[in-house]
Amino acid sequence: MERTLSIIKPDGVAKGLIGEVIKRFESHGLKVAALKMISMNKKQAEGFYDVHRQKSFFNSLTDFMSSGPCVVLILEGEGAIEKNRQLMGATDYTKADPGTIRADFASSIEQNIVHGSDGPETARYEIGYFFNALEIVR
Ligand code: GDP
């Protein structure tokens, strides 16, 4: 079983989409193995998106990610990383496949409702960024 890290970003929480997003995960065979609501400060958001530190949108992205509460989840299932990425849709919602979370609900390339790990290494790092062993179901 593979695990991946998902975030319902501040725009998703503000739009009242927590239930809708989790329903999509669960109805496509992804199990919730951990879940909590958090509010990141600017430094915590910067740490999470450290790989994007050199990007032009880094400051704006980390402002956005620290602008309100997020829901962070660990999703578990066969091919969970790829399955989650498919359910999310492309980063740019205008290019996301119809029926994906981002195509249905995103409002800009930045405010795109969800985050999902993009590979096994990233998933391990990102899960460890938010969860300790006691918070993850066995
Ligand atoms: P993801 O893996 O699909 O989330 O995409 P990336 O890892 O490339 O980017 C991380 C996040 O940065 C995205 O989900 C967006 O919230 C934001 N982002 C990506 N590209 C842009 C951009 O060109 N402009 C802005 N403002 N934000 C962006």
Side-chain angles (χ1 to χ4, degrees):
M1 276 301 159
E2 192 172 65
R3 282 178 173 172
T4 189
L5 190 278
S6 165
I7 305 177
I8 305 174
K9 296 182 179 184
D11 59 331
V13 173
K15 287 177 171 172
L17 293 171
I18 297 170
E20 171 67 28
V21 169
I22 294 176
K23 189 173 86 176
R24 289 183 184 213
F25 295 150
E26 292 186 322
S27 63
H28 290 84
L30 291 172
K31 282 202 163 11
V32 176
L35 175 152
K36 61 186 170 185
M37 194 166 209
I38 59 161
S39 287
M40 279 189 269
N41 63 31
K42 178 83 170 165
K43 281 265 167 302
Q44 292 165 332
E46 287 173 353
F48 179 69
Y49 276 120
D50 195 52
V51 292
H52 291 312
R53 207 166 273 273
Q54 304 310 323
K55 302 268 171 64
S56 58
F57 56 82
F58 181 70
N59 190 47
S60 171
L61 172 62
T62 52
D63 273 349
F64 163 54
M65 291 300 287
S66 58
S67 67
C70 291
V71 173
V72 288
L73 312 90
I74 299 174
L75 301 174
E76 191 173 73
E78 215 167 293
I81 294 170
E82 185 51 35
K83 189 175 278 183
N84 182 37
R85 297 288 304 186
Q86 280 171 8
L87 293 172
M88 287 162 56
T91 310
D92 178 354
Y93 75 108
T94 65
K95 297 183 180 127
D97 288 339
T100 59
I101 294 166
R102 284 167 165 174
D104 286 349
F105 303 116
S107 52
S108 72
I109 191 164
E110 183 173 281
Q111 303 209 1
N112 58 5
I113 312 289
V114 278
H115 166 84
S117 311
D118 62 6
E121 278 291 293
T122 330
R124 257 190 302 280
Y125 172 77
E126 293 180 349
I127 286 170
Y129 195 79
F130 292 112
F131 292 99
N132 65 47
L134 281 176
E135 296 174 309
I136 306 172
V137 297
R138 277 174 292 167

